[in-house]
Amino acid sequence: MSTEAGVVMVTGTARGGVTMIAEALNAHASACIGIERYKFRFLRHKTYDGELFEKERFFRFRKADTNQTPDRSAALQKTYLLMKAKWDGARIVGDMVSDLLPLQGDMMQANPGMRFVCVLRNLKDVALSWEARANRTGSAWPAEKGFAAACEKWAQHQADLAALVDQPDLRSRIFLLDFDRLVEDRQAQADALRGFLGLGQDRSYLGEFERHARHLSRQPVHRIPEQFHDAYKAVNQAPARLLRRAAQEDLEQWGKEAAG
């Protein structure tokens, strides 16, 4: 890690667009974001040591770190090879791990310089994605993690994140990205995220935002099946509305930073 690099975590509720944002960041010449690099360390062992992001340690994979290792797939192997090549000149390094929100406060307290990119996605799309994965034959996704489980987890995460955003000493270290507006606001979202992270313009980075926006624009609109209406309606959406307003503020504030 270069002496100027900062540590950045990308998180949000699982199936909420977190991987897409990490992929976009990794397309930038000055960013190195792991793909669930320390999933087990964070979620199971509650280990948040900043030394995990020193170069030698970051590229030395251990079983207690994660199951998402370069030998698992050609795509991950390519990702980490490219990351290693640009690591020394990176302005930001970090990791992408979904479902960190309940731990985020402790992580920020333990690492005062650590910043978070928190991806917001609407409950309907998250819950329908959980349900589809739970029903997929041969999937490693647990069958009990369907629509109702997603409603419970999403509600918890929105409340946890809203509480963090309400703390002035933490707010400046959190960027809220409204995933549901990625198609219509792709350029603005990309620029604001750059502004927050202190990154310069990069054609590949913007191209990755464009690619994901095109993919999302082709997705069909799904309705919530009747058997899930009660579970959906029971969720308190007030924290999510607060977060959407805060995300708009981030878009405007950090967009100006990028333009300046």
Side-chain angles (χ1 to χ4, degrees):
M1 181 171 67
S2 70
T3 56
E4 296 182 356
V7 177
V8 174
M9 303 303 302
V10 182
T11 192
T13 304
R15 312 300 300 167
V18 179
T19 301
M20 285 190 179
I21 301 306
E23 289 175 349
L25 283 171
N26 276 332
H28 198 291
S30 300
C32 297
I33 304 298
I35 306 299
E36 297 186 331
R37 173 63 187 87
Y38 292 115
K39 177 173 67 173
F40 295 162
R41 289 283 175 193
F42 297 151
L43 298 178
R44 293 182 179 178
H45 306 298
K46 311 297 188 295
T47 302
Y48 319 129
D49 192 341
E51 293 182 0
L52 294 172
F53 294 97
E54 296 296 331
K55 183 178 182 180
E56 182 180 352
R57 177 65 180 90
F58 189 86
F59 292 103
R60 189 171 71 249
F61 289 80
R62 298 173 180 173
K63 289 184 178 180
D65 293 345
T66 184
N67 60 350
Q68 298 298 315
T69 54
D71 59 1
R72 182 183 175 96
S73 72
L76 278 176
Q77 186 176 49
K78 180 180 179 181
T79 293
Y80 283 105
L81 283 173
L82 292 172
M83 208 178 295
K84 194 170 187 178
K86 62 180 178 176
W87 184 275
D88 291 337
R91 289 190 61 83
I92 62 166
V93 300
D95 200 4
M96 178 282 295
V97 180
S98 297
D99 298 340
L100 284 181
L101 297 166
L103 309 175
Q104 183 172 329
D106 289 342
M107 293 181 75
M108 296 181 81
Q109 294 292 346
N111 298 279
M114 184 179 284
R115 289 172 292 171
F116 276 75
V117 175
C118 299
V119 183
L120 308 176
R121 193 179 191 187
N122 70 83
L123 173 58
K124 184 191 76 169
D125 287 343
V126 169
L128 287 175
S129 182
W130 280 43
E131 183 66 18
R133 289 292 295 272
N135 291 327
R136 186 179 300 174
T137 302
S139 173
W141 188 272
E144 65 272 14
K145 289 181 65 174
F147 194 98
C151 288
E152 181 178 350
K153 184 67 70 175
W154 184 92
Q156 175 197 350
H157 287 173
Q158 302 300 296
D160 289 340
L161 184 54
L164 291 174
V165 168
D166 196 42
Q167 298 182 44
D169 59 325
L170 301 181
R171 180 66 181 96
S172 63
R173 293 161 56 196
I174 300 171
F175 180 83
L176 301 173
L177 191 148
D178 191 340
F179 189 79
D180 296 326
R181 296 183 58 183
L182 192 61
V183 172
E184 60 188 89
D185 287 342
R186 66 195 78 172
Q187 177 78 57
Q189 297 277 16
D191 287 344
L193 182 55
R194 280 197 307 105
F196 174 72
L197 297 174
L199 298 174
Q201 294 190 25
D202 186 286
R203 183 177 299 179
S204 296
Y205 164 77
L206 183 57
E208 195 69 5
F209 264 88
E210 292 282 356
R211 184 177 74 85
H212 286 311
R214 287 195 300 271
H215 170 76
L216 292 169
S217 69
R218 294 193 293 266
Q219 300 307 301
V221 177
H222 297 286
R223 297 192 177 193
I224 299 174
E226 187 174 354
Q227 67 265 34
F228 299 131
H229 283 185
D230 289 344
Y232 179 81
K233 292 177 180 178
V235 174
N236 177 15
Q237 301 254 4
R241 289 191 289 271
L242 182 153
L243 291 170
R244 300 285 177 178
R245 290 193 293 270
Q248 179 60 34
E249 294 172 359
D250 284 355
L251 189 69
E252 296 171 2
Q253 175 189 347
W254 294 109
K256 292 177 182 177
E257 186 75 17

